[in-house]
Amino acid sequence: MDVGFIGLGIMGAPMAGHLIAGGHTLHLKSRRSVPDHLVAAGGRACKSAAEVAERSDVVILMVPDTPDVELVLFGEDGVADGLRPGTVVVDMSSISPIATRDFAARIAGKGGTYVDAPVSGGEVGAKNAALSIMVGGSAEAVARVRPLLDLMGKTVTHVGETGAGQVAKVANQIIVALTIEAVAEGLLFASRAGADPAKVREAITGGLATSRILELHGERMIKRTFDPGFRIALHQKDLNLALEGARSLGLSLPGTALAQQLFAACVANGAGGSDHSALVRALEIMGNHKVAE
């Protein structure tokens, strides 16, 4: 299949690499230059998103935010300018479900089909082709792109119609943020009370409190390894989507609001580019105590 891939950052580059390894022809575009290793593997660099669309049966997007998706799709020399009839646009970014439905309608007006397929699993999941992919779109369109998604993810779930994938991703980000906050509070309490947080983490991973976040991000908090797998600024963006959606639905999400404020405190203290496990730093500042040195 001729596949376009736009957005070759921490997540996008390894995802595109898996598609090349799977035998597909990749037409590539990124805000920065296309990584050399993808070109060496057979990827073809393009000058614009429109050129990507002109060459592709399926166009995949993996960019940071809603305005970025809109610009790539409908800006000057965007995907819409080069879209061939019948092309499937797959947005794997994490963006607004409401905007997603609008973008899908505009792509349909150009003769294309739209699938939203945001992911969870971070940089590790992208590199290991072990992402969880939440998919929204028609059954026909999803079936057409499913072989591509299977090359990038371990779990691919068709949640429902267009926008349903983004709704699932927002729900995922709520749960992840609140779990990171819970792990941070627990480890901070243990450390301040005089226990070894590494031993406490080891002890509770065998009980009901165990989770992937306790395993991975709890270790990051203890070892102080906050190089980004998923940046605080991006998670903050996702919680904005959650809170905006909650307001439109008449819902109260107090835990989400708290996590958002903690992320905001991290950003205010220069940690917006750190991994989202660095949320613990906001609690450490308030408690005047670090989980570990």
Side-chain angles (χ1 to χ4, degrees), residues 23-257:
H24 299 284
T25 301
L26 268 287
H27 306 280
L28 306 169
K29 177 72 174 69
S30 195
R31 188 181 313 183
R32 301 180 182 86
S33 60
V34 172
D36 292 338
H37 72 276
L38 292 178
V39 175
R44 302 174 182 180
C46 296
K47 295 180 180 179
S48 68
E51 182 184 348
V52 170
E54 289 167 359
R55 296 170 179 266
S56 304
D57 305 308
V58 175
V59 177
I60 297 173
L61 278 61
M62 190 62 179
V63 297
D65 203 351
T66 305
D68 302 299
V69 173
E70 185 168 25
L71 181 63
V72 167
L73 290 177
F74 306 111
E76 184 177 357
D77 287 328
V79 168
D81 290 335
L83 198 69
R84 304 189 308 210
T87 298
V88 182
V89 175
V90 182
D91 180 27
M92 303 189 76
S93 320
S94 296
I95 70 167
S96 162
I98 296 171
T100 291
R101 294 177 181 123
D102 173 61
F103 297 162
R106 292 162 71 181
I107 289 296
K110 295 283 187 177
T113 306
Y114 200 93
V115 171
D116 54 297
V119 306
S120 179
E123 182 182 7
V124 173
K127 287 182 174 179
N128 295 330
L131 294 168
S132 174
I133 305 177
M134 298 150 267
V135 189
S138 70
E140 180 182 2
V142 173
R144 184 174 169 191
V145 301
R146 179 66 187 255
L148 301 175
L149 301 180
D150 284 338
L151 288 173
M152 297 180 283
K154 182 178 181 181
T155 304
V156 179
T157 304
H158 185 194
V159 181
E161 292 300 315
T162 305
Q166 296 294 353
V167 170
K169 179 57 188 289
V170 170
N172 177 84
Q173 295 302 80
I174 291 171
I175 294 167
V176 169
L178 269 63
T179 308
I180 290 173
E181 197 276 339
V183 169
E185 283 198 14
L187 293 180
L188 183 64
F189 170 81
S191 176
R192 186 66 182 85
D196 180 346
K199 291 295 185 182
V200 171
R201 173 182 162 275
E202 181 183 346
I204 62 180
T205 51
L208 188 60
T210 193
S211 69
R212 191 75 172 141
I213 289 171
L214 176 61
E215 178 186 344
L216 296 178
H217 292 345
E219 183 177 45
R220 283 175 174 264
M221 293 172 194
I222 293 164
K223 292 186 175 179
R224 319 306 287 176
T225 52
F226 296 133
D227 291 339
F230 187 74
R231 290 184 284 120
I232 280 176
L234 290 178
H235 207 150
Q236 186 182 38
K237 175 263 299 184
D238 291 342
L239 294 193
N240 279 335
L241 296 176
L243 294 171
E244 289 167 5
R247 279 193 294 273
S248 69
L249 295 168
L251 289 176
S252 175
L253 301 178
T256 304

